[in-house]
Amino acid sequence: MSTYAVTGSASGMGAASAARLRAAGHQVIGVDLRDADVVADLGTAEGRAHAVREIIRLADGRLDGVAAVAGVGPQLRDAGAVVSINYHGPVALLGGLRPALAASGAGRAVVISSNSSTTVPMIDEELVRLLLAGDEEAARARARAATAALPEEIAANSPSISAYASSKFALSRWVRATAVTPAWARASVTLNAIAPGAVVTPLMTGSTMKEEDLDADRFPTPMPLGIFGRPEDIAFWVEQFLRPEARFTTGSVLFVDGGTDAAMRPRAQPTAMTR
């Protein structure tokens, strides 16, 4: 039996991931704002520190894997909170848990990014720079300023769309850069990201949209398979990245989006190295 920590375990993709791992016979330490083994707000430095301490305590200092699934969507009106939760939350949590992952001798970590990082043309490069530099307060201020400048028709439904896409973009960049550093790679700790597309969760539907009203053929972005994802579709890949057999995979960003990214950017990957 392995011991895993899963953030966002109370609902959506986090709940599906925790359930799948438990069904396989593993111990799962759930982390969320409620209904979890560790109740913590990953949008704050204090909450992250508390989560790290409690996870390490419950795991007796040794973790086989971490799935950083918790996140919020572009509907949240506080863009500052979006970048704190979506970027600084997983980055600080995984940084704090890295020694416990290394202690297992074959730690596995996976984070949830988003295909919005490549399919939404509102990436704020300065915000990305601030996030990767670890300047949380400046990043929060930048995100809020960008939201205030949005056209009204966008702000009405997705007030934090730029902060959301930019935070997920930065998270994917962090994964690729961090996974290959000696502190992670030479400690046999793998680090990967999953970039979901349109997955039917409370985060996607919000408080007003009903699942039966969703139509893949009328969705704003291409849906080549003609279906929406389910939390279980993401949980499947979470489990694969956390398996001991995933020893030779690190620094990867896997799109699980029904083909949306491929349809919108068919020539984006692979790209040849230039001198």
Side-chain angles (χ1 to χ4, degrees), residues 13 68 111-117 164 167-172 193-196 253:
M13 292 181 283
V111 305
I112 300 298
S113 180
S114 170
N115 75 346
S116 293
S117 62
Y164 176 77
S167 66
K168 294 296 189 178
F169 182 92
L171 186 59
S172 293
I194 297 170
V253 179

Side-chain angles (χ1 to χ4, degrees), residues 203-253:
L203 186 149
M204 174 185 167
T205 59
S207 59
T208 58
M209 184 183 296
K210 296 180 180 179
E211 183 176 341
E212 55 266 29
D213 295 331
L214 295 172
D215 185 344
D217 292 327
R218 294 186 179 184
F219 202 67
T221 55
M223 302 287 287
L225 290 178
I227 59 172
F228 291 96
R230 299 282 177 179
E232 293 76 16
D233 298 321
I234 308 304
F236 170 81
W237 286 108
V238 166
E239 182 185 21
Q240 304 316 303
F241 276 126
L242 294 181
R243 290 173 62 89
E245 294 87 347
R247 58 184 290 273
F248 200 52
T249 304
T250 199
S252 293
V253 179

